[in-house]
Amino acid sequence: QVQLAESGGGLVQPGGSLRLSCAASGNFFDINAMGWYRKAPGKQRELVAAIISGGSINYVDSVKGRFTISRDNAKSTVYLEMNSLKLEDTAVYYCNAVVETLPARLAMNYWGKGTLVTVSS
């Protein structure tokens, strides 16, 4: 079993910054990819940013230049540095990981419980 523990959400004013963290724990062989999705009220869930084991990184257009995703492989942790936050960034942010489980090394998809980011003046 694999668990994803998120932290770092909260209330911030427009233009402010927050840093989200997500640590994976449990019994697994490797993590193929980690990323962040978000779900805003009345909107569909969308991929915000993802980082793959080879180093490839993707961002949704609306956060390019403002958000930075990074990963600490030794800690099995992914971070999302969010700067210049806007009202429209308000959402529940979910950590996602594609993990090779043990013993079969099957690639499985895991989700965190979500952390609320509220951007408000």
Side-chain angles (χ1 to χ4, degrees):
Q1 190 71 7
V2 176
Q3 295 82 37
L4 300 179
E6 302 137 327
S7 61
L11 173 64
V12 65
Q13 292 186 339
S17 299
L18 282 175
R19 188 192 196 207
L20 306 183
S21 300
C22 172
S25 62
N27 192 26
F28 55 88
F29 178 77
D30 197 7
I31 300 176
N32 293 341
M34 297 189 82
W36 293 92
Y37 287 73
R38 67 185 178 186
K39 174 79 169 62
K43 295 185 178 180
Q44 291 187 332
R45 183 177 64 187
E46 66 174 351
L47 173 65
V48 178
I51 183 167
I52 302 171
S53 291
S56 177
I57 292 176
N58 293 312
Y59 295 101
V60 67
D61 285 346
S62 60
V63 308
K64 287 180 179 178
R66 300 188 298 121
F67 290 11
T68 302
I69 189 171
S70 61
R71 179 175 163 180
D72 186 333
N73 292 328
K75 296 181 179 180
S76 299
T77 299
V78 65
Y79 305 96
L80 186 68
E81 186 75 36
M82 304 185 294
N83 298 314
S84 302
L85 282 161
K86 303 177 180 180
L87 297 175
E88 53 264 39
D89 294 318
T90 295
V92 178
Y93 285 70
Y94 296 91
C95 177
N96 172 264
V98 179
V99 179
E100 285 190 48
T101 58
L102 288 170
R105 292 188 58 181
L106 294 174
M108 298 187 67
N109 205 25
Y110 291 90
W111 293 92
K113 294 181 179 181
T115 184
L116 178 62
V117 172
T118 303
V119 184
S120 175
S121 56

